[in-house]
Amino acid sequence: MIRFFAESSAISGDLIYLTADDFSHIRSLRLRPDERFIVCDGEGTDYICTLSKVEGHALSGQESIAKIIKACPSKGEPNVKCSVFIGLAKGDRMDYAVQKSVELGAHEIKLFPSNRCIAIPKDADKKTIRLQKIATETAKQCGRGIIPQVTILDSFDSAIRQASQAKLPLFFYECEEKQDLKGALGQLLEHSSPDTPHSISILTGPEGGFEPHEVNLAISKGMLVATLGPRILRCETAPAAALAALMFHTGNLS
């Protein structure tokens, strides 16, 4: 079914007031009045709806009203909360990394600069808006129950400080030879309660990788340095590979 997101303030009783953009999308798809679609509240609940009204609404100023048939938990949300930290990269690599991170279940996505970053955006706000739009459209397409937020951090130190707060903070480094991803994820299951959502951070580098002093900083803050295998992955591939392995290991790709 086609999927939309709505603010909680737009949900009133058994009605949801849709935006003009959503209504335009509905019109372009030529949905029949009795045809069902999903409106998600962005907090993990899906509402199965039909189109109740296709005229302007005097009170809301919005274009159409969806009538709720039933509510249910979003099936697209994993039972693990993973924050993905990605080193800034040039071109469309960030677009790909954000899109695939949302598809694979990232809870939030944070981009950061580091010593070997080739491209750092001059207008971070403009880039954030564009990447957030990609995240929103991807969340609709793949059936997510939330829209992961995309932010651009101002420093590598800030990324390490935030990433290290997770229960399992993973720092992926191409020169690591001892700790692999399978062993790192095994630690998560050993020390976590099945009733408590897993809190994980995944941090991957830019095109040029990390400087040794950056790795040392991550270790000093309690992050677990791990490898993604013997092959050097591109900067847009590494977060997707780590997320896919995490979701499989926690039963979210079964």
Side-chain angles (χ1 to χ4, degrees), residues 193-214:
S193 167
D195 298 326
T196 304
H198 303 312
S199 169
I200 300 177
S201 60
I202 287 174
L203 192 146
T204 61
E207 289 103 326
F210 290 115
E211 294 278 5
H213 73 85
E214 292 173 325

Side-chain angles (χ1 to χ4, degrees), residues 45-56:
T45 300
D46 287 349
Y47 297 92
I48 310 301
C49 301
T50 57
L51 198 58
S52 175
K53 190 176 182 180
V54 292
E55 301 294 338

Side-chain angles (χ1 to χ4, degrees), residues 10-24:
I11 303 173
S12 177
D14 64 347
L15 300 177
I16 301 177
Y17 297 98
L18 302 176
T19 66
D21 286 344
D22 287 341
F23 179 59
S24 294

Side-chain angles (χ1 to χ4, degrees), residues 157-189:
D157 287 4
S158 179
I160 293 296
R161 185 173 63 253
Q162 294 184 36
S164 64
Q165 300 304 307
K167 190 176 187 68
L168 180 63
L170 296 174
F171 183 100
F172 290 102
Y173 181 42
E174 64 275 11
C175 294
E176 172 61 27
E177 296 179 350
K178 297 179 181 179
Q179 180 67 69
D180 60 17
L181 178 57
K182 183 177 181 180
L185 293 178
Q187 294 186 33
L188 171 70
L189 297 184

Side-chain angles (χ1 to χ4, degrees), residues 96-145:
Y96 178 92
V98 167
Q99 183 187 67
K100 300 312 171 190
S101 293
V102 173
E103 286 183 36
L104 287 163
H107 180 74
E108 60 182 351
I109 302 162
K110 299 190 177 187
L111 313 177
F112 63 88
S114 64
N115 277 17
R116 295 183 183 176
C117 280
I118 295 175
I120 297 178
K122 296 180 180 179
D123 190 344
D125 290 341
K126 185 176 180 180
K127 190 173 185 66
T128 300
I129 291 172
R130 187 173 65 81
L131 291 173
Q132 186 62 62
K133 183 176 181 181
I134 291 174
T136 298
E137 293 305 315
T138 304
K140 292 178 181 178
Q141 173 268 318
C142 69
R144 292 293 301 272

